[in-house]
Amino acid sequence: MDYSTNDSKPTSEKKVVAVVGGGLVGALNACYFAKRGFQVEVFESREDIRQAKIVKGRSINLALSHRGRQALKQVGMEDTIVSKGIPMHSRMVHSLNGTQSPIPYGKKGQVILLLQSAETYPNTKLNFAHKLLDWITNLSHTHTHISFSLSLSLFSLSAEGAKEEIQADLIVGCDGAFSAIRKQFLRQSRFNYSQTYIPHGYLELTMPPINGEFAMKPNYLHIWPRNTFMMIALPNLDKTFTCTLFMPFEEFEKVTTGDQVIKFFQKYFPDAIPLIGAEALKRDYFHLPAQAMVSVKCSPYHLGDKCVLMGDAAHAVVPFYGQGMNAGFEDCLVFNEIMDQLNEDFSAVLPEYTRVRVPDDHAIADLAMYNYVEMRAHVNSKWFLFRKYVDNFLHIIMPRTIIPLYTMVTFTRTRYHKAVKRWHWQDKVRKDIVHVHSTLFKVL
């Protein structure tokens, strides 16, 4: 079933939607529900980052692509967010000998702003420093279904330590990979859940500007692929690059002194040393320990007609396809489209959202895992480069038949699981074409 947004006016009659989590997906969701006329309460355990002098936490630079842009467009935020970013046209692969080779992505062609947008709606209230203690649904079981009471209760703890109870008609869990909302789902039967930690961690370093300008070409995702590990660098508006080293934890643990850091970089990333700075490397490498990365899958995404999961709470993915934020934003967009289609009837909308979205989010989680192998190892392969060339050539001569996987995922809204299915079919077609050509060459 296809869903398209229409301009129908809200029929919510001031129902209360509690959005738990004030990050990217939570803030965007608040905009969507507020635009529909719901009374929106956003609860975030951290203080308001717009007023904080120091913002604590981990970060990996985020890539905004077509799916995310379409989600932002529906609430009038696309141009504002895009203006705060830097376009990336290609991967730039750094070899051991220092040569750089671009690999194009396709044809030529973030929290603070969203919170500010959500706050412009008079029917939205942002509650910071409110930690979720528990939430109840007053479940009553029958042989065939689970029914819920008319309203939900959330218990939160304010910054002053006061316990508060909030009644809501719908809870939207957008509270990250270690979601407190999702814990309630784990108490229910037939809820599937899995989390997988990959054996690699990540560590961030900063590459400063040189004479006030970027130290490398800014419109690229720079990659240093080294088979079992890699480093990437993404540009920032202040002319720095954020360099992220992805490596097995046991390799991180072998490097214990500043001199070992320099020796390690001299062996694997020699061109990066003068750009980052030897002294900065020695210092910053030990500033924070390597951080873990987890992939989360679960199903279903809803409990009756009263609670739904979105973003990392539903599908945390490792960051190697640049789709984590985009998939979360698209969650909001898909839910909004289904709300239009089913007239905001939560009892129909929530199960339909699960049916539509679970296979897509599971597919992008798997693709993110696959892309890590591609980025750290395959981009060094002549076969990989030849395959990319063949894909792009076939796409030029048969643009509607052969579409590269990366193009489908990043530059269209083709459903993730359908993109994977088509990718497998195209891979077979490409292999058949290569086989025929190689056979003809031998005959000639």
Side-chain angles (χ1 to χ4, degrees):
M1 184 181 293
D2 293 324
Y3 302 100
S4 58
T5 304
N6 60 42
D7 295 323
S8 61
K9 297 299 178 183
T11 59
S12 53
E13 299 178 355
K14 292 297 181 181
K15 287 183 178 179
V16 177
V17 174
V19 178
V20 180
L24 288 163
V25 175
L28 181 58
N29 255 320
C31 295
Y32 271 105
F33 283 108
K35 187 177 179 182
R36 285 184 171 276
F38 291 91
Q39 188 63 41
V40 182
E41 296 266 358
V42 179
F43 297 92
E44 170 55 50
S45 61
R46 297 168 296 183
E47 61 182 311
D48 189 343
I49 64 172
R50 298 170 299 176
Q51 301 173 8
K53 294 180 180 178
I54 299 176
V55 180
K56 297 180 180 179
R58 303 175 298 169
S59 69
I60 290 180
N61 282 32
L62 300 172
L64 178 67
S65 60
H66 180 75
R67 297 172 194 271
R69 293 182 66 161
Q70 291 302 302
L72 292 168
K73 185 176 181 179
Q74 294 299 319
V75 292
M77 288 296 293
E78 181 187 13
D79 292 341
T80 303
I81 297 292
V82 169
S83 69
K84 302 296 182 182
I86 298 173
M88 292 183 295
H89 305 309
S90 309
R91 295 171 176 170
M92 183 68 78
V93 178
H94 295 246
S95 66
L96 265 174
N97 63 14
T99 59
Q100 300 180 23
S101 307
I103 300 179
Y105 282 135
K107 295 180 180 179
K108 292 183 180 179
Q110 245 159 357
V111 176
I112 289 176
L113 293 170
L114 286 171
L115 287 172
Q116 289 172 338
S117 179
E119 206 167 37
T120 62
Y121 293 94
N123 50 329
T124 297
K125 181 182 178 184
L126 305 180
N127 302 279
F128 294 99
H130 277 63
K131 182 178 181 181
L132 180 70
L133 298 178
D134 198 7
W135 60 284
I136 59 173
T137 55
N138 299 324
L139 295 175
S140 61
H141 297 264
T142 70
H143 292 297
T144 58
H145 69 283
I146 299 174
S147 60
F148 293 80
S149 61
L150 293 177
S151 65
L152 300 181
S153 296
L154 290 93
F155 299 94
S156 68
L157 192 66
S158 68
E160 292 76 26
K163 183 178 179 180
E164 302 176 25
E165 181 178 350
I166 300 95
Q167 299 291 321
D169 298 284
L170 176 68
I171 295 176
V172 185
C174 305
D175 50 339
F178 304 101
S179 169
I181 292 295
R182 194 178 60 230
K183 288 181 181 178
Q184 180 81 332
F185 285 57
L186 293 170
R187 302 172 188 170
Q188 313 305 320
S189 66
R190 296 191 297 172
F191 177 69
N192 298 304
Y193 170 78
S194 68
Q195 68 174 38
T196 304
Y197 281 95
I198 63 173
H200 298 69
Y202 73 92
L203 183 149
E204 290 192 341
L205 302 164
T206 299
M207 184 180 293
I210 295 177
N211 298 323
E213 295 298 327
F214 285 106
M216 302 183 296
K217 294 179 180 179
N219 299 118
Y220 296 89
L221 166 59
H222 291 263
I223 306 176
W224 290 257
R226 300 298 182 259
N227 295 317
T228 59
F229 57 91
M230 71 173 179
M231 186 169 73
I232 68 171
L234 287 165
N236 301 306
L237 289 174
D238 62 0
K239 303 297 179 71
T240 64
F241 277 90
T242 298
C243 302
T244 309
L245 175 60
F246 298 96
M247 191 163 67
F249 279 101
E250 58 264 30
E251 296 299 323
F252 277 115
E253 292 162 3
K254 291 177 183 178
V255 180
T256 59
T257 69
D259 288 341
Q260 288 177 338
V261 173
I262 298 302
K263 192 173 291 186
F264 173 78
F265 269 74
Q266 284 174 339
K267 183 176 181 179
Y268 294 109
F269 312 111
D271 61 325
I273 296 175
L275 301 178
I276 297 174
E279 292 306 313
L281 262 177
K282 290 180 181 181
R283 180 187 66 245
D284 295 346
Y285 188 92
F286 301 104
H287 180 63
L288 288 173
Q291 303 293 317
M293 289 173 284
V294 66
S295 179
V296 171
K297 291 181 180 179
C298 67
S299 176
Y301 287 168
H302 72 287
L303 277 179
D305 61 352
K306 296 300 180 184
C307 187
V308 64
L309 301 173
M310 296 192 199
D312 285 355
H315 51 81
V317 301
V318 292
F320 305 115
Y321 221 113
Q323 285 294 302
M325 174 180 66
N326 292 285
F329 282 179
E330 193 176 48
D331 287 346
C332 305
L333 178 56
V334 169
F335 192 88
N336 190 61
E337 290 168 346
I338 296 174
M339 288 275 278
D340 279 336
Q341 184 74 18
L342 301 178
N343 300 313
E344 299 184 354
D345 177 2
F346 290 158
S347 64
V349 169
L350 270 63
E352 178 66 0
Y353 171 76
T354 283
R355 186 191 71 81
V356 169
R357 201 63 184 151
V358 166
D360 290 331
D361 290 333
H362 287 189
I364 193 57
D366 293 337
L367 276 178
M369 287 287 200
Y370 166 81
N371 211 46
Y372 181 42
V373 178
E374 177 175 295
M375 289 174 71
R376 74 174 194 249
H378 291 174
V379 292
N380 287 324
S381 161
K382 291 182 179 179
W383 167 248
F384 172 82
L385 296 174
F386 174 70
R387 193 185 72 189
K388 284 285 185 184
Y389 172 80
V390 172
D391 280 348
N392 291 332
F393 175 73
L394 292 176
H395 180 50
I396 290 171
I397 63 174
M398 297 182 289
R400 294 186 178 181
T401 304
I402 303 296
I403 306 174
L405 176 64
Y406 197 91
T407 298
M408 288 188 283
V409 169
T410 308
F411 301 115
T412 77
R413 278 197 65 202
T414 302
R415 291 182 60 183
Y416 288 124
H417 85 280
K418 290 186 176 180
V420 172
K421 186 175 181 180
R422 182 166 184 162
W423 172 48
H424 289 312
W425 174 79
Q426 290 178 172
D427 190 51
K428 183 180 182 301
V429 171
R430 183 184 60 244
K431 288 178 180 177
D432 290 344
I433 291 173
V434 171
H435 175 71
V436 169
H437 276 262
S438 61
T439 302
L440 288 173
F441 181 77
K442 289 177 182 178
V443 171
L444 295 174

